[in-house]
Amino acid sequence: MIIQRLLELVIARRNEKWMKEQGAREFGLKHYQFIVLMHSLFFVVFIFEKISFFRELLPFWQLCAAVFVCAQLIRVWAISSLGRFWNTKILVLPNVEVVRRGPYRFIKHPNYLVVSIELLVVPLMFGAYVTACLFTILNILMLSIRIPAEEKALRELTEYESYLGSCNRFLPKLLNKYDN
Protein backbone atom coordinates (compact mmCIF):
# COMPACT_ATOMS: atom_id res chain seq x y z
CA MET A 1 0.00 0.00 0.00
CA ILE A 2 2.83 2.40 0.78
CA ILE A 3 4.43 1.82 -2.63
CA GLN A 4 1.02 2.22 -4.25
CA ARG A 5 0.48 5.56 -2.48
CA LEU A 6 3.91 6.78 -3.59
CA LEU A 7 3.17 5.80 -7.20
CA GLU A 8 -0.16 7.61 -6.97
CA LEU A 9 1.65 10.74 -5.78
CA VAL A 10 3.92 10.56 -8.84
CA ILE A 11 0.85 10.28 -11.09
CA ALA A 12 -0.89 13.09 -9.20
CA ARG A 13 2.08 15.44 -9.52
CA ARG A 14 2.37 14.75 -13.25
CA ASN A 15 -1.36 15.36 -13.68
CA GLU A 16 -1.22 18.48 -11.48
CA LYS A 17 1.52 19.99 -13.65
CA TRP A 18 -0.48 19.31 -16.83
CA MET A 19 -3.74 20.61 -15.36
CA LYS A 20 -2.17 23.81 -14.07
CA GLU A 21 -0.61 24.37 -17.52
CA GLN A 22 -4.17 24.10 -18.90
CA GLY A 23 -5.45 26.70 -16.40
CA ALA A 24 -6.76 24.55 -13.55
CA ARG A 25 -7.67 26.20 -10.27
CA GLU A 26 -6.81 24.57 -6.95
CA PHE A 27 -9.24 24.34 -4.04
CA GLY A 28 -9.08 22.87 -0.54
CA LEU A 29 -5.54 23.96 0.25
CA LYS A 30 -6.27 24.33 3.97
CA HIS A 31 -7.48 20.78 4.50
CA TYR A 32 -5.19 18.97 2.06
CA GLN A 33 -2.26 18.94 4.48
CA PHE A 34 -4.47 17.19 7.05
CA ILE A 35 -5.44 14.52 4.52
CA VAL A 36 -1.76 13.85 3.81
CA LEU A 37 -1.06 13.73 7.54
CA MET A 38 -3.95 11.33 8.16
CA HIS A 39 -2.83 8.95 5.40
CA SER A 40 0.77 9.04 6.64
CA LEU A 41 -0.25 8.45 10.25
CA PHE A 42 -2.44 5.55 9.18
CA PHE A 43 0.61 3.52 8.23
CA VAL A 44 2.53 4.51 11.37
CA VAL A 45 -0.34 3.66 13.73
CA PHE A 46 -1.22 0.47 11.86
CA ILE A 47 2.34 -0.85 11.94
CA PHE A 48 2.74 0.20 15.58
CA GLU A 49 -0.45 -1.57 16.62
CA LYS A 50 0.40 -4.69 14.62
CA ILE A 51 3.90 -5.00 16.08
CA SER A 52 3.31 -3.71 19.63
CA PHE A 53 0.23 -5.77 20.33
CA PHE A 54 1.27 -8.85 18.34
CA ARG A 55 -1.81 -8.73 16.16
CA GLU A 56 -2.31 -11.75 13.94
CA LEU A 57 -4.27 -12.39 10.79
CA LEU A 58 -7.94 -12.92 11.46
CA PRO A 59 -9.53 -16.27 10.59
CA PHE A 60 -11.51 -14.53 7.83
CA TRP A 61 -8.50 -12.67 6.41
CA GLN A 62 -9.19 -14.12 2.94
CA LEU A 63 -12.52 -12.26 2.83
CA CYS A 64 -10.81 -9.03 3.87
CA ALA A 65 -8.13 -9.60 1.22
CA ALA A 66 -10.79 -10.20 -1.45
CA VAL A 67 -12.58 -6.97 -0.49
CA PHE A 68 -9.23 -5.16 -0.61
CA VAL A 69 -8.45 -6.52 -4.09
CA CYS A 70 -11.92 -5.53 -5.35
CA ALA A 71 -11.37 -2.04 -3.95
CA GLN A 72 -8.05 -1.82 -5.80
CA LEU A 73 -9.76 -2.75 -9.05
CA ILE A 74 -12.25 0.07 -8.49
CA ARG A 75 -9.34 2.42 -7.74
CA VAL A 76 -7.60 1.55 -11.01
CA TRP A 77 -10.91 1.92 -12.85
CA ALA A 78 -11.53 5.33 -11.25
CA ILE A 79 -8.01 6.63 -11.92
CA SER A 80 -7.97 5.40 -15.51
CA SER A 81 -11.47 6.82 -16.10
CA LEU A 82 -10.36 10.29 -14.99
CA GLY A 83 -7.04 10.04 -16.84
CA ARG A 84 -5.11 13.30 -16.62
CA PHE A 85 -7.87 14.81 -14.46
CA TRP A 86 -7.21 12.41 -11.55
CA ASN A 87 -5.42 13.96 -8.62
CA THR A 88 -5.06 13.82 -4.87
CA LYS A 89 -5.71 17.56 -4.77
CA ILE A 90 -8.85 19.39 -5.79
CA LEU A 91 -7.87 20.77 -9.19
CA VAL A 92 -10.61 21.89 -11.55
CA LEU A 93 -10.31 23.06 -15.13
CA PRO A 94 -12.98 25.68 -15.88
CA ASN A 95 -15.72 24.67 -18.32
CA VAL A 96 -14.41 21.14 -18.86
CA GLU A 97 -17.00 18.40 -19.12
CA VAL A 98 -17.33 16.32 -15.95
CA VAL A 99 -16.19 12.72 -16.44
CA ARG A 100 -19.20 10.41 -16.65
CA ARG A 101 -17.51 7.14 -17.59
CA GLY A 102 -16.23 4.21 -15.59
CA PRO A 103 -17.37 4.05 -11.98
CA TYR A 104 -18.42 7.71 -12.20
CA ARG A 105 -21.54 6.53 -14.03
CA PHE A 106 -22.69 4.94 -10.79
CA ILE A 107 -21.14 6.86 -7.91
CA LYS A 108 -19.84 10.41 -7.53
CA HIS A 109 -16.67 9.65 -5.56
CA PRO A 110 -15.47 6.08 -6.14
CA ASN A 111 -11.91 6.80 -5.04
CA TYR A 112 -13.13 8.01 -1.63
CA LEU A 113 -15.14 4.81 -1.32
CA VAL A 114 -11.98 2.80 -2.03
CA VAL A 115 -9.98 4.71 0.57
CA SER A 116 -12.76 4.19 3.12
CA ILE A 117 -12.74 0.46 2.44
CA GLU A 118 -8.94 0.29 2.73
CA LEU A 119 -8.79 2.18 6.01
CA LEU A 120 -11.24 -0.29 7.50
CA VAL A 121 -10.43 -3.62 5.84
CA VAL A 122 -6.63 -3.62 5.92
CA PRO A 123 -6.30 -3.09 9.69
CA LEU A 124 -9.17 -5.49 10.35
CA MET A 125 -7.45 -8.18 8.31
CA PHE A 126 -4.52 -8.00 10.72
CA GLY A 127 -6.58 -7.59 13.88
CA ALA A 128 -5.63 -3.92 14.29
CA TYR A 129 -9.02 -2.85 15.62
CA VAL A 130 -7.87 0.46 17.10
CA THR A 131 -6.40 1.55 13.77
CA ALA A 132 -9.53 0.45 11.90
CA CYS A 133 -11.86 2.38 14.21
CA LEU A 134 -9.69 5.47 14.62
CA PHE A 135 -8.96 5.99 10.94
CA THR A 136 -12.48 5.18 9.83
CA ILE A 137 -13.70 7.98 12.10
CA LEU A 138 -10.93 10.36 10.99
CA ASN A 139 -11.69 9.56 7.35
CA ILE A 140 -15.38 10.32 7.85
CA LEU A 141 -14.43 13.67 9.37
CA MET A 142 -12.01 14.40 6.51
CA LEU A 143 -14.52 13.46 3.84
CA SER A 144 -17.18 15.62 5.49
CA ILE A 145 -14.90 18.55 4.64
CA ARG A 146 -13.31 17.27 1.44
CA ILE A 147 -16.39 16.18 -0.52
CA PRO A 148 -18.34 19.44 -0.05
CA ALA A 149 -15.21 21.43 -0.99
CA GLU A 150 -14.71 19.36 -4.12
CA GLU A 151 -18.35 19.54 -5.14
CA LYS A 152 -18.45 23.31 -4.55
CA ALA A 153 -15.39 23.74 -6.79
CA LEU A 154 -16.95 21.57 -9.49
CA ARG A 155 -20.25 23.47 -9.31
CA GLU A 156 -18.40 26.76 -9.56
CA LEU A 157 -16.33 25.90 -12.65
CA THR A 158 -18.14 23.11 -14.53
CA GLU A 159 -21.61 21.80 -15.43
CA TYR A 160 -21.50 19.57 -12.34
CA GLU A 161 -25.20 20.13 -11.57
CA SER A 162 -26.19 18.37 -14.81
CA TYR A 163 -23.78 15.55 -13.93
CA LEU A 164 -25.59 15.04 -10.63
CA GLY A 165 -28.77 14.32 -12.56
CA SER A 166 -27.08 11.52 -14.50
CA CYS A 167 -24.93 10.12 -11.70
CA ASN A 168 -26.28 7.32 -9.58
CA ARG A 169 -28.91 6.54 -12.20
CA PHE A 170 -28.23 2.82 -11.76
CA LEU A 171 -29.36 2.73 -8.13
CA PRO A 172 -32.77 4.40 -8.65
CA LYS A 173 -33.49 2.01 -11.55
CA LEU A 174 -32.55 -0.93 -9.36
CA LEU A 175 -34.74 0.33 -6.51
CA ASN A 176 -37.69 0.99 -8.83
CA LYS A 177 -37.39 -2.57 -10.11
CA TYR A 178 -38.02 -3.91 -6.61
CA ASP A 179 -40.76 -1.40 -5.72
CA ASN A 180 -43.23 -3.09 -8.07
Side-chain angles (χ1 to χ4, degrees), residues 87-103:
N87 210 292
T88 58
K89 296 180 178 180
I90 301 174
L91 295 167
V92 181
L93 279 169
N95 304 314
V96 172
E97 189 173 323
V98 175
V99 173
R100 292 181 168 102
R101 63 184 172 273

Side-chain angles (χ1 to χ4, degrees), residues 43-99:
F43 293 107
V44 172
V45 172
F46 171 57
I47 292 167
F48 175 80
E49 182 178 2
K50 171 80 174 95
I51 293 170
S52 298
F53 299 102
F54 307 103
R55 305 291 194 208
E56 295 191 18
L57 282 172
L58 294 183
F60 57 89
W61 70 266
Q62 296 95 336
L63 176 62
C64 292
V67 170
F68 176 78
V69 168
C70 289
Q72 298 318 299
L73 295 173
I74 294 170
R75 176 192 305 282
V76 170
W77 192 24
I79 291 172
S80 64
S81 295
L82 285 178
R84 288 182 139 182
F85 297 105
W86 180 83
N87 210 292
T88 58
K89 296 180 178 180
I90 301 174
L91 295 167
V92 181
L93 279 169
N95 304 314
V96 172
E97 189 173 323
V98 175
V99 173

Side-chain angles (χ1 to χ4, degrees), residues 34-178:
F34 296 107
I35 290 175
V36 171
L37 179 63
M38 182 189 77
H39 282 266
S40 300
L41 284 176
F42 168 79
F43 293 107
V44 172
V45 172
F46 171 57
I47 292 167
F48 175 80
E49 182 178 2
K50 171 80 174 95
I51 293 170
S52 298
F53 299 102
F54 307 103
R55 305 291 194 208
E56 295 191 18
L57 282 172
L58 294 183
F60 57 89
W61 70 266
Q62 296 95 336
L63 176 62
C64 292
V67 170
F68 176 78
V69 168
C70 289
Q72 298 318 299
L73 295 173
I74 294 170
R75 176 192 305 282
V76 170
W77 192 24
I79 291 172
S80 64
S81 295
L82 285 178
R84 288 182 139 182
F85 297 105
W86 180 83
N87 210 292
T88 58
K89 296 180 178 180
I90 301 174
L91 295 167
V92 181
L93 279 169
N95 304 314
V96 172
E97 189 173 323
V98 175
V99 173
R100 292 181 168 102
R101 63 184 172 273
Y104 297 92
R105 292 180 306 201
F106 309 110
I107 183 172
K108 292 190 292 184
H109 303 285
N111 205 58
Y112 297 147
L113 172 64
V114 168
V115 170
S116 299
I117 290 169
E118 284 175 343
L119 294 177
L120 179 64
V121 169
V122 171
L124 282 180
M125 183 171 19
F126 292 94
Y129 305 112
V130 173
T131 303
C133 291
L134 176 63
F135 284 90
T136 294
I137 292 167
L138 287 174
N139 189 51
I140 290 168
L141 293 172
M142 282 291 159
L143 291 179
S144 72
I145 296 165
R146 175 70 170 201
I147 290 173
E150 187 170 320
E151 291 187 348
K152 181 178 185 257
L154 288 166
R155 277 190 198 93
E156 191 177 306
L157 297 177
T158 69
E159 85 303 340
Y160 190 65
E161 291 296 330
S162 66
Y163 165 72
L164 292 176
S166 66
C167 187
N168 300 329
R169 62 181 179 247
F170 174 75
L171 187 58
K173 285 180 184 177
L174 184 64
L175 293 175
N176 288 338
K177 178 180 176 182
Y178 293 104

Side-chain angles (χ1 to χ4, degrees), residues 6-31:
L6 293 173
L7 288 172
E8 288 172 1
L9 287 175
V10 169
I11 294 167
R13 286 207 175 106
R14 184 190 69 220
N15 291 347
E16 176 183 8
K17 182 178 185 281
W18 177 81
M19 286 185 72
K20 285 185 174 178
E21 288 170 355
Q22 306 305 309
R25 290 185 42 206
E26 186 170 351
F27 297 83
L29 291 168
K30 289 180 184 176
H31 73 262

